[in-house]
Amino acid sequence: MELYNQLKGLADKIELLKDKIDTEESTKHAFTLPFINILGYDTFNPTEVVPEFTADLGLKKGEKVDYAIFQNGVPILIIECKHWKQDLNVHNSQLFRYFHVTKTRFSLLTNGIIYRFYTDLEETNKMDEKPFLEFDITKIKEITVKEIEKFHKSKFDVSTIVDNASNLKYTREVKSLIDEELQNPSHDFVKLFANRAYSGRLTSKVMDEFTEIVGKAFSQIISEKVNDRLNSALNKEQEKQQEEDHVEEIPKNQIETTEEELEGYQIVLAILRRKLDKTRVVHRDTQSYFGILLDDNNRKPICRLHLNGGVKYIGLFDKDKNEIKEKIESVDDIYNFESQLLKTVGFYDGE
């Protein structure tokens, strides 16, 4: 989650600054170097991040790649950077030459917004023509962050990345092919289904009809699956709300609010007052937990205090409203979760 937030922060910075970035060099400093820092590498340590790394090509001396990241004295990733407006498709041949003369297994071609990671799956020490990982940092997804994390200094392992690279690369290729077929079904793709669904002779007229049918069928399947997922999520939310409403139906005289719970509420209130009016932070006690809500709304839980058992917990909430319990020794430990509490109310206020 921390890496995702750091990458999202860089993406926000890029959107804000890109129209003021006029050169390749400023792209490197404003976009690429912060990305390297996020991966845990010290851009001010010349034994770790080497700018203008020499990659001599036979008789052609003095060829340099923009950056090389080193680990234990060995280059593990070479990086070639272009201006953020540049189309990367015309630049991978340059990186291809650099890759061949270095000892690294990985290379990165980027314009600070689009990132393409390459390795040598098809032929040893020869960079593949297509990347195994590609993403737009301004449209970053959590599933992609898990792959980027493998390049973090604290987790970097050549074997782990290479073993996974093949799966990533060919999954990406297949997804691309499927998308093409859905957009514009090929003759062979249509014929595959027509042969199974139609017992007659596949004339040109029949194939034309099935081209339309296949395209329409796939569109309907996708639409139905999306609706099923949405309905499933909605039903779960309704069930959750019904459970919470049921809890609230317990007579007040059966619920005992303790001094410790009220003290915990005051601490949460003190943390949030720098960001919210105190009238927006409301507590509701139940038999299971002491809940603290935003705007007195069950759908906006800030945290839950579990203080009446043998072990004390604070329940924190992520952006999907999943409760994450953290053990505490006393209510004073609530101060340790200041950033999480502020972040949670930020989710509800659209920050």
Side-chain angles (χ1 to χ4, degrees):
M1 193 66 182
E2 182 181 357
L3 181 60
Y4 175 83
N5 290 335
Q6 289 175 328
L7 291 169
K8 188 69 172 61
L10 176 57
D12 293 342
K13 176 184 174 184
I14 288 171
E15 292 286 13
L16 185 66
L17 296 179
K18 66 181 182 180
D19 291 330
K20 301 173 184 177
I21 303 296
D22 298 322
T23 66
E24 183 176 298
E25 202 62 30
S26 54
T27 300
K28 294 178 190 177
H29 284 89
F31 301 161
T32 308
L33 285 176
F35 177 78
I36 295 173
N37 273 322
I38 287 172
L39 291 182
Y41 302 100
D42 184 356
T43 53
F44 294 102
N45 183 346
T47 66
E48 196 164 281
V49 179
V50 180
E52 296 296 306
F53 177 65
T54 301
D56 290 335
L57 300 166
L59 297 176
K60 193 173 182 181
K61 304 297 182 182
E63 289 288 300
K64 296 182 185 297
V65 65
D66 289 317
Y67 300 102
I69 296 178
F70 275 69
Q71 193 174 78
N72 300 322
V74 177
I76 59 171
L77 177 67
I78 57 172
I79 305 172
E80 184 66 15
C81 311
K82 300 300 172 187
H83 184 264
W84 71 270
K85 289 184 179 179
Q86 286 273 312
D87 179 0
L88 295 180
N89 291 326
V90 298
H91 293 292
N92 63 338
S93 59
Q94 184 181 14
L95 190 58
F96 183 92
R97 297 197 306 272
Y98 295 152
F99 187 95
H100 181 66
V101 296
T102 61
K103 296 179 181 179
T104 182
R105 292 293 304 274
F106 306 107
S107 57
L108 167 62
L109 178 62
T110 181
N111 59 11
I113 297 177
I114 306 298
Y115 288 79
R116 293 177 179 175
F117 286 84
Y118 298 83
T119 188
D120 55 352
L121 293 172
E122 296 175 11
E123 191 174 337
T124 303
N125 202 32
K126 184 178 180 182
M127 192 181 90
D128 297 336
E129 290 186 11
K130 295 182 179 179
F132 68 88
L133 175 63
E134 179 176 354
F135 60 88
D136 181 332
I137 196 170
T138 63
K139 301 173 184 176
I140 200 75
K141 299 177 181 177
E142 289 190 31
I143 191 170
T144 306
V145 174
K146 292 179 181 178
E147 301 305 327
I148 299 171
E149 189 175 25
K150 293 182 174 70
F151 282 92
H152 194 278
K153 181 180 177 180
S154 64
K155 297 184 180 293
F156 184 85
D157 179 78
V158 173
S159 298
T160 300
I161 300 174
V162 171
D163 290 345
N164 193 47
S166 178
N167 183 280
L168 278 176
K169 178 180 178 181
Y170 295 116
T171 298
R172 181 169 169 269
E173 288 294 306
V174 171
K175 285 171 66 178
S176 177
L177 291 171
I178 291 173
D179 187 56
E180 287 179 18
E181 293 289 2
L182 293 179
Q183 297 295 327
N184 187 23
S186 67
H187 178 84
D188 289 340
F189 188 71
V190 173
K191 189 176 180 181
L192 172 67
F193 295 99
N195 269 327
R196 296 185 179 185
Y198 185 73
S199 58
R201 181 167 167 266
L202 298 180
T203 63
S204 296
K205 182 180 179 181
V206 171
M207 286 297 292
D208 287 343
E209 290 178 357
F210 265 94
T211 297
E212 182 178 349
I213 290 169
V214 168
K216 185 183 294 183
F218 270 92
S219 294
Q220 289 176 357
I221 286 174
I222 292 171
S223 178
E224 288 167 3
K225 286 192 175 296
V226 169
N227 285 331
D228 287 344
R229 291 289 295 274
L230 289 173
N231 288 332
S232 176
L234 182 60
N235 289 336
K236 286 181 180 178
E237 183 66 24
Q238 288 174 342
E239 289 173 4
K240 184 177 179 182
Q241 184 63 42
Q242 287 171 359
E243 289 176 3
E244 291 178 347
D245 290 343
H246 176 70
V247 168
E248 294 303 316
E249 290 169 4
I250 298 171
K252 297 284 186 182
N253 58 12
Q254 293 183 21
I255 298 172
E256 181 182 352
T257 300
T258 66
E259 289 295 328
E260 189 177 37
E261 288 171 332
L262 291 174
E263 185 181 353
Y265 167 68
Q266 291 299 328
I267 291 173
V268 173
L269 187 62
I271 290 172
L272 299 180
R273 281 197 67 177
R274 70 189 63 182
K275 192 170 187 176
L276 299 171
D277 187 286
K278 67 177 183 178
T279 58
R280 296 188 66 193
V281 183
V282 177
H283 67 78
R284 289 192 195 176
D285 202 358
T286 74
Q287 286 190 324
S288 305
Y289 57 81
F290 182 86
I292 301 177
L293 310 171
L294 182 65
D295 300 329
D296 202 13
N297 188 337
N298 271 336
R299 294 179 179 273
K300 298 180 180 181
I302 298 171
C303 68
R304 290 174 179 173
L305 304 182
H306 305 265
L307 304 177
N308 296 330
V311 180
K312 302 179 191 299
Y313 295 94
I314 179 172
L316 304 167
F317 290 89
D318 61 19
K319 64 178 181 179
D320 297 316
K321 300 182 186 176
N322 297 313
E323 184 181 8
I324 303 157
K325 290 184 179 179
E326 298 284 355
K327 184 178 176 181
I328 57 176
E329 297 298 327
S330 72
V331 290
D332 288 336
D333 290 343
I334 295 173
Y335 286 109
N336 298 333
F337 302 97
E338 176 180 345
S339 61
Q340 292 98 314
L341 292 168
L342 290 169
K343 190 181 295 182
T344 298
V345 297
F347 294 146
Y348 302 135
D349 280 350
E351 295 178 9

